[in-house]
Amino acid sequence: MCGIVGYLGKRNAKEVLFEGLRRLEYRGYDSAGLCVVSPSGELSVVRVVGNLDAMEKTLESFDTHGTVGIGHTRWATHGAPSKENAHPHTDCKGEIAIVHNGIIENFVQLKAELEERGHVFSSETDTEVLAHLIEENYSEDLGEALRKSLERVEGSFAVATVHKDSPGTIAAARRDSPLVLGFGDGEWFLASSVPAFLPSTRKVVFLEHNDVVVIDSTGCSITDLDGAEVRREVVEVDWSLDSAEKGGYKDFMLKEIYEQPQAVAETLRDKFDNKKEVIVEDLRMTREEALELRRIVVVACGTSYHAGLLGKYLFERWAALPVEVEIASEFRYRNLVVTSDDLVVAISQSGETADTLAGIREARRLGACVVAVVNVVGSQMTRESDGIIYTHAGPEIGVAATKTFTTQIVCMILLSLYLGRLRGTVTDAEYHAIVDELEVIPKKMEKVLGSSGEVSKCAEKYYKCDDFLFLGRGVGYPIAMEGALKLKEISYIHAEGYPAGEMKHGPIALLDADVPVVAIATMDSVYDKMINNIEEVKARGAPVLAIASEGDGEIVKICNDVLWVPETNEMLYPLLTVIHLQQLAYQVAKKRGCNVDQPRNLAKTVTVE
Ligand code: F6R
């Protein structure tokens, strides 16, 4: 939801900033801009509508050699994508430039006040009020001007600002929206997330709420909003540069689909002791505490919510606990009945999603213990939860979640097994069967990835269709939901995911020969029921593409197309079946000429409600 960057060092800021923005483009891509400050204080601002390809062209004739600057790639909230609304924003005199990610909630009131005092606005954005506030508050000290201005601001922000009279300084701050500070050799970086400056440094500080940082050529200082110095730990992130680049693949999404076996293996690493007992380090729950648990509540959005839906089947089966799975935006605005007997599991790739974060805060306020399942190290949810389980998928740049979904599933499996062992609710035989199967699951995932040619043939057959229905039962149901979400978000085809047994209560009316039905029909305890549902679909003339277990001789007889997965434990099939659905969505979207890494209207991290 917008990406911001800042650079102060010895290199050409224009180039460093642009490279950083390229790596943040997944956060927003409807317009972009940057500001480079010359040593004498001249601010050169460029703003373009469109993605960074448009910006690259404009930059060819943007002749600056300053070594200080800020940049932004936008996902519009206030004001349409236009040159006027693109960041950086400036004050009346053009002395200040500012980039912002977040929402200034009281901007209407602030704008009215500023206009009354004679300020003239040139955009419809909430951000511009900050440029004008800094203009009023500035007298030689940019950090102080930013602090004073932020006192007036309600809402969320990660901001970076420069001033013509402080040409060798950047002041930045954050509240709710993420901001990371990177330390190079005589150079400093600011960014919404680490990959922006990964080629230059891995030494970072994850800034905290209400931190204000001032950088100049002598170094950087961090204070709170009152100006009191605060100390933050410098940490070394272990993400490789390769993981933030396409590495020969056409798109990040495709690369990330192929990275899944490795990502899953990484998430499983060190999760079992030498007696094959599952370890979930950060939970540190005693047997008594586990026995006292009355319920699990999962809170998440989008794909992460689908991982939560799957978690319900796993927690119920192995930990024998009632589970509720909540869409975070619905969870937060209710009269919640959550107590200290509940374990709340918040799932989020980014660790920044506003609704999920709000759900965490509410659950903790009500006394529940919250464990966050998160991919981004150091993200806000990791600071605001009682426990953290990392998905270890590495940076996910494609807007559509893929490898973070399968690693979230792994975390659901690990957590439910862990609770099941503590509570004595999973049998030894089942436990060991799952643990053994987890060892070989990455290899089986690789095998599924090997059949992309078959998926491509199916995509060729169906890519012109206007509607798809995805059906599944049991653990296949959340996968059907996820398959439909993947297809609609990157190919813009209308798709619905449905529990197969529910189809005859309504959606069956949609079916005809032009509506392909994707059926998850692996060899599991609901297989026979699924076959009945497939027959019902066939009887309405709709073509059926089944995702089935290798060796199933029956399914080929009744379905138009079949994509195979190796046999596995019933509860682990989702790790295999979803790969075909991700590939199908990818191939269909490519055939329709869609930009899979940057689907329209979307952003990777949703830091607004
Ligand atoms: C879909 C997708 C989104 C996210 C959702 C939650 O492919 O990526 O639906 O899953 O926006 O984001 P996180 O997981 O960062 O909280």
Side-chain angles (χ1 to χ4, degrees):
M1 202 104 320
C2 300
I4 71 168
V5 287
Y7 175 73
L8 190 150
K10 300 177 196 113
R11 288 188 274 162
N12 184 334
K14 170 179 99 170
E15 284 159 19
V16 182
L17 293 170
F18 183 71
E19 190 187 341
L21 288 178
R22 270 274 183 232
R23 289 161 191 279
L24 293 186
E25 200 174 9
Y26 67 91
R27 298 180 66 90
Y29 34 82
D30 58 42
S31 52
L34 52 83
C35 169
V36 175
V37 191
S38 76
S40 59
E42 192 193 334
L43 304 189
S44 306
V45 176
V46 63
R47 295 186 293 186
V48 295
V49 177
N51 65 13
L52 290 171
D53 291 340
M55 175 125 156
E56 191 166 23
K57 285 204 188 79
T58 312
L59 285 184
E60 281 165 15
S61 52
F62 185 65
D63 196 18
T64 62
H65 301 280
T67 60
V68 178
I70 54 177
H72 189 269
T73 182
R74 181 169 187 245
W75 185 87
T77 56
H78 293 65
S82 68
K83 199 166 171 179
E84 293 69 38
N85 291 332
H87 299 216
H89 289 288
T90 54
D91 60 320
C92 301
K93 302 182 209 151
E95 295 182 341
I96 291 153
I98 188 161
V99 289
H100 169 222
N101 164 214
I103 290 186
I104 297 175
E105 279 163 9
N106 58 339
F107 90 99
V108 175
Q109 175 207 333
L110 291 173
K111 188 170 176 176
E113 280 177 25
L114 284 157
E115 280 177 333
E116 222 162 79
R117 294 201 289 271
H119 290 263
V120 177
F121 281 74
S122 50
S123 78
E124 300 157 279
T125 65
D126 52 334
T127 305
E128 197 185 336
V129 295
L130 253 180
H132 294 272
L133 283 172
I134 295 171
E135 177 188 347
E136 286 191 346
N137 288 318
Y138 182 82
S139 75
E140 294 188 0
D141 184 339
L142 187 56
E144 185 55 18
L146 180 59
R147 274 190 291 269
K148 272 197 183 148
S149 306
L150 291 175
E151 275 171 18
R152 298 293 324 280
V153 163
E154 286 163 23
S156 59
F157 52 78
V159 287
T161 183
V162 289
H163 193 292
K164 88 174 205 342
D165 292 338
S166 305
T169 304
I170 302 178
R174 72 157 295 211
R175 179 188 298 159
D176 284 331
S177 304
L179 189 61
V180 194
L181 175 62
F183 295 80
D185 185 9
E187 53 184 4
W188 291 267
F189 305 83
L190 285 163
S192 300
S193 77
V194 175
F197 49 70
L198 210 48
S200 303
T201 183
R202 285 192 174 73
K203 278 196 202 142
V204 308
V205 163
F206 293 101
L207 292 164
E208 306 260 355
H209 266 318
N210 296 325
D211 279 358
V212 179
V213 57
V214 177
I215 311 170
D216 61 27
S217 58
T218 61
C220 64
S221 65
I222 307 175
T223 64
D224 62 17
L225 280 180
D226 297 325
E229 198 183 325
V230 290
R231 294 202 168 275
R232 300 286 174 236
E233 191 191 351
V234 180
V235 292
E236 187 121 5
V237 291
D238 60 3
W239 287 1
S240 73
L241 186 53
D242 284 358
S243 61
E245 290 184 340
K246 281 190 197 157
Y249 286 89
K250 284 201 195 87
D251 309 275
F252 278 112
M253 182 182 175
L254 188 62
K255 174 175 176 254
E256 289 156 4
I257 288 174
Y258 275 89
E259 281 174 344
Q260 292 181 102
Q262 194 197 336
V264 161
E266 206 51 50
T267 305
L268 284 167
R269 187 197 296 272
D270 300 332
K271 291 300 187 320
F272 296 93
D273 66 15
N274 51 13
K275 291 189 187 128
K276 293 201 173 177
E277 280 308 320
V278 58
I279 310 164
V280 179
E281 250 176 20
D282 269 323
L283 212 55
R284 290 191 199 95
M285 197 172 263
T286 61
R287 188 162 178 277
E288 288 64 39
E289 285 165 340
L291 284 172
E292 272 164 25
L293 277 181
R294 286 285 156 266
R295 188 174 63 146
I296 292 180
V297 181
V298 184
V299 185
C301 303
T303 289
S304 299
Y305 169 72
H306 296 156
L309 281 182
L310 191 54
K312 178 178 171 74
Y313 291 83
L314 302 169
F315 288 124
E316 285 177 356
R317 177 152 174 160
W318 295 328
L321 277 164
V323 182
E324 273 166 47
V325 189
E326 300 270 2
I327 290 178
S329 53
E330 289 299 317
F331 180 74
R332 59 185 294 196
Y333 294 117
R334 291 213 309 270
N335 182 24
L336 282 184
V337 187
V338 169
T339 70
S340 55
D341 294 336
D342 294 324
L343 175 66
V344 172
V345 180
I347 310 176
S348 174
Q349 181 284 130
S350 60
E352 306 286 344
T353 301
D355 286 319
T356 311
L357 199 49
I360 290 177
R361 289 176 186 152
E362 193 53 15
R364 289 188 84 199
R365 193 183 65 79
L366 294 168
C369 169
V370 176
V371 58
V373 176
V374 171
N375 193 46
V376 177
V377 178
S379 54
Q380 195 58 31
M381 286 181 203
T382 66
R383 295 141 200 269
E384 297 203 25
S385 303
D386 301 290
I388 311 159
I389 307 177
Y390 279 115
T391 42
H392 296 296
E396 188 176 69
I397 312 285
V399 164
T402 51
K403 61 177 177 169
T404 53
F405 179 63
T406 37
T407 51
Q408 285 169 348
I409 297 175
V410 170
C411 292
M412 293 295 101
I413 294 169
L414 292 170
L415 185 55
S416 46
L417 287 177
Y418 179 74
L419 292 174
R421 287 305 262 182
L422 282 177
R423 293 166 56 81
T425 43
V426 57
T427 64
D428 272 356
E430 183 164 15
Y431 175 80
H432 289 293
I434 298 289
V435 174
D436 291 347
E437 189 59 16
L438 282 173
E439 274 176 29
V440 293
I441 207 78
K443 278 265 163 286
K444 293 189 177 179
M445 294 172 83
E446 267 167 29
K447 190 157 184 221
V448 179
L449 285 165
S451 46
S452 63
E454 301 308 307
V455 184
S456 182
K457 280 183 210 151
C458 295
E460 185 60 39
K461 206 162 159 185
Y462 298 119
Y463 79 97
K464 289 187 182 144
C465 295
D466 293 328
D467 305 278
F468 273 70
L469 188 61
F470 287 71
L471 297 178
R473 300 183 81 117
V475 292
Y477 159 50
I479 298 304
M481 300 277 288
E482 177 59 7
L485 177 61
K486 285 288 91 87
L487 188 68
K488 61 188 143 190
E489 70 180 329
I490 61 168
S491 74
Y492 318 139
I493 295 176
H494 166 241
E496 291 195 38
Y498 238 80
E502 184 68 7
M503 179 187 57
K504 53 185 157 304
H505 300 287
I508 199 163
L510 294 170
L511 296 185
D512 62 27
D514 297 325
V515 181
V517 173
V518 181
I520 323 291
T522 47
M523 283 288 187
D524 53 28
S525 54
V526 286
Y527 174 78
D528 291 343
K529 307 278 167 214
M530 243 348 263
I531 295 297
N532 292 342
N533 297 134
I534 290 175
E535 294 287 5
E536 289 159 8
V537 170
K538 293 294 297 174
R540 272 76 194 175
V544 180
L545 160 55
I547 315 294
S549 307
E550 278 170 7
D552 180 352
E554 289 309 302
I555 204 137
V556 272
K557 295 182 195 154
I558 56 167
C559 296
N560 303 65
D561 306 273
V562 182
L563 293 169
W564 302 107
V565 295
E567 271 193 87
T568 186
N569 181 285
E570 160 157 24
M571 305 311 267
L572 303 190
Y573 268 123
L575 290 167
L576 306 180
T577 51
V578 76
I579 294 177
H580 280 317
L581 304 191
Q582 295 165 344
Q583 291 258 34
L584 182 69
Y586 174 84
Q587 300 279 2
V588 166
K590 290 301 272 189
K591 289 185 198 299
R592 290 169 73 100
C594 301
N595 181 341
V596 295
D597 282 342
Q598 296 176 348
R600 70 184 180 205
N601 305 339
L602 290 173
K604 183 85 183 150
T605 311
V606 185
T607 51
V608 293
E609 336 180 5

